[in-house]
Amino acid sequence: MYLSSTPIRVLVVQQINRAYRVPLLKRLSEQPDIKLTMIHGTNPPVQAGDAGISIATDPLPFSTISGPISGIRWNGREVLWFGLALKTIKREFFDIVITDHYTRLLSIWPMQTIQHQRNAGFILWGIGFHQHPTPWIDKIRSLMVKRTDALLLYSEKESKRYQEMGVPREKCFVTQNTVDIEGIDAGVASATNARIQECRQEVGSVEGPLLMHIGRLAKNKRLDLLLCALPNLQKKWPKIQLALIGEGPELEALHKLAHELSVSGIVHFLGPITDHKLLAPWILSSDLIVAPAQIGLLAPMSLAYGKTLVISDVSEHHGPEVQACIPGQTGMNYKYEDVENLACVINDLLADPEKCQRFAEAGSIRVRELMCPERMLDGFLAAIRYVHNMRCSR
């Protein structure tokens, strides 16, 4: 095996500077055999899953470059071109480039070409598959992967899927996507009991239970199901309240539905809150976190906050981050689109605080063991050293 006597020059390319990835990148930059540079876009997120994600603004302990990403609409989809990243790669030599695995980022193709011409490495990082794939996008993705030296994937499920497509197992590395656990812990430490009580008072939940959802107000979240369950829940919990943290295209429709169901007085739209020091007292004030349909980073975030989670039983709807959840241990599943069952599951958990506490403690332990930055770092280092050694041995 080739061992480098000089640091491996690594460039990480991201569409946005996601705050939850900062702890991982800091640890990567601290490795004695890694010299890290990051370049990221300054545009608002274009991927729905990134909407509402906290953007890192504090100075970072490694070289950082930022600039706009251009985009155009083509065939109903937005395609992107990160010219600054391409210019940076042309100007400066990097042993390895790691970029978001996003088929619409067309500048990936010339980045790959430059790296290969220099006998340098290229790694794609991300979930790797769209929730609703289409054949022609899958063909593009397959070609992109063939030109890639390694894949950094969010779970073993994605790794096995690529292996079934013919990608060698040794090229697939798992680094579970997770949230900024350090930021969450700092937010929890700063949340006073007085502020937590203030949050409950602001939504009229001093005497009744408080349900919560955090994330984009989009159709795939099916928050209409949660609103429809409220009249049933009110029968047992007359003073129940629901707080929705986030923004999105379904805001107006949800307001209208709440009015039609006569629950508008107990549904509180709090808007987007991404700073953990502001978000922590709100989450800590809740009794349950409920995700009626698609769930991604909300899964590890809820568990890291020590909250019991209710999610749907259709695993195909969820992002790979749902692996943090174990039904009956960290929360409960309900039968998807069955509003009565959703209300029943919520009722049972609200009526059994001791069970909720057990679930919350188990979830907090699990997410810290399975999806901590240290585990993510192991996957990164394995992929980087695999690619570097392979290239240097040629």
Side-chain angles (χ1 to χ4, degrees):
M1 177 180 291
Y2 176 86
L3 294 176
S4 177
S5 59
T6 58
I8 304 169
R9 291 156 292 189
V10 176
L11 176 68
V12 172
V13 182
Q14 297 193 100
Q15 293 174 60
I16 56 174
N17 188 13
R18 304 169 181 89
Y20 71 85
R21 286 183 171 176
V22 168
L24 165 68
L25 295 176
K26 284 183 177 179
R27 284 169 170 79
L28 185 60
S29 71
E30 292 166 356
Q31 303 304 304
D33 61 340
I34 302 289
K35 181 181 179 182
L36 179 65
T37 300
M38 179 179 69
I39 183 166
H40 64 84
T42 53
N43 311 57
V46 296
Q47 291 176 270
D50 280 331
I53 291 291
S54 180
I55 304 299
T57 56
D58 293 337
L60 298 172
F62 49 83
S63 177
T64 304
I65 306 168
S66 62
I69 299 177
S70 58
I72 61 171
R73 300 291 296 182
W74 178 73
N75 198 26
R77 298 173 182 268
E78 185 157 24
V79 293
L80 306 175
W81 184 263
F82 201 172
L84 180 59
L86 186 56
K87 289 179 181 178
T88 301
I89 293 172
K90 287 180 178 179
R91 183 179 64 246
E92 185 175 350
F93 179 85
F94 294 95
D95 296 291
I96 295 175
V97 170
I98 303 173
T99 185
D100 286 335
H101 192 172
Y102 190 42
T103 53
R104 299 181 201 172
L105 186 59
L106 300 186
S107 46
I108 285 177
W109 298 90
M111 291 180 196
Q112 289 177 314
T113 298
I114 292 170
Q115 287 298 99
H116 292 168
Q117 289 174 344
R118 294 173 173 174
N119 191 35
F122 195 90
I123 298 174
L124 289 173
W125 174 22
I127 186 172
F129 292 98
H130 194 273
Q131 188 177 354
H132 304 289
T134 57
W136 66 275
I137 289 181
D138 283 345
K139 289 181 180 179
I140 294 173
R141 180 175 288 109
S142 180
L143 288 172
M144 188 177 285
V145 167
K146 287 180 180 179
R147 291 162 48 88
T148 298
D149 297 300
L151 301 176
L152 278 165
L153 302 165
Y154 288 171
S155 75
E156 289 291 347
K157 180 180 179 180
E158 282 74 40
S159 177
K160 291 178 181 178
R161 187 171 173 183
Y162 272 112
Q163 291 172 47
E164 291 170 356
M165 292 170 56
V167 178
R169 179 181 179 83
E170 61 268 20
K171 287 180 60 173
C172 299
F173 297 84
V174 175
T175 175
Q176 288 93 350
N177 198 36
T178 189
V179 288
D180 180 7
I181 295 177
E182 292 179 357
I184 289 172
D185 290 343
V188 170
S190 68
T192 64
N193 289 332
R195 177 55 189 151
I196 294 171
Q197 290 304 312
E198 285 177 2
C199 291
R200 293 189 73 99
Q201 291 171 2
E202 288 179 33
V203 294
S205 187
V206 176
E207 299 178 4
L210 175 60
L211 306 180
M212 187 170 290
H213 178 86
I214 307 100
R216 184 168 168 78
L217 308 181
K219 285 186 177 181
N220 66 334
K221 303 296 183 179
R222 293 302 310 272
L223 294 170
D224 58 303
L225 298 172
L226 181 52
L227 266 62
C228 289
L230 288 176
N232 189 323
L233 290 166
Q234 282 182 305
K235 296 175 183 177
K236 186 171 183 179
W237 313 95
K239 296 184 179 181
I240 194 170
Q241 305 287 330
L242 169 63
L244 302 177
I245 297 178
E247 60 184 348
E250 288 296 289
L251 177 61
E252 185 177 345
L254 292 171
H255 269 290
K256 182 179 179 181
L257 179 60
H259 178 75
E260 293 173 351
L261 294 170
S262 300
V263 295
S264 56
I266 65 170
V267 180
H268 308 273
F269 296 88
L270 304 183
I273 306 174
T274 57
D275 187 324
H276 284 295
K277 290 186 178 179
L278 301 177
L279 182 61
W282 278 109
I283 295 183
L284 295 175
S285 71
S286 68
D287 295 284
L288 283 178
I289 307 294
V290 184
Q294 194 274 341
I295 188 171
L297 286 170
L298 179 57
M301 184 175 76
S302 299
L303 301 185
Y305 269 108
K307 288 297 172 179
T308 299
L309 189 62
V310 177
I311 65 175
S312 88
D313 62 350
V314 182
S315 59
E316 291 79 9
H317 290 174
H318 306 315
E321 298 85 0
V322 78
Q323 63 192 303
C325 304
I326 302 179
Q329 294 185 29
T330 63
M332 295 297 294
N333 287 2
Y334 85 99
K335 297 177 183 177
Y336 179 59
E337 291 190 322
D338 188 332
V339 173
E340 289 188 6
N341 183 250
L342 175 59
C344 181
V345 170
I346 293 172
N347 269 328
D348 289 347
L349 287 171
L350 291 177
D352 194 344
E354 291 184 0
K355 179 188 287 186
C356 281
Q357 184 61 29
R358 290 198 306 273
F359 287 170
E361 291 174 356
S364 180
I365 292 171
R366 177 169 172 78
V367 77
R368 282 168 168 77
E369 290 179 347
L370 178 69
M371 307 174 80
C372 63
E374 289 79 9
R375 290 283 298 270
M376 293 183 71
L377 178 64
D378 290 341
F380 259 76
L381 292 177
I384 288 170
R385 289 164 183 165
Y386 162 78
V387 171
H388 189 61
N389 291 334
M390 176 188 66
R391 289 285 177 178
C392 290
S393 63
R394 292 182 178 179

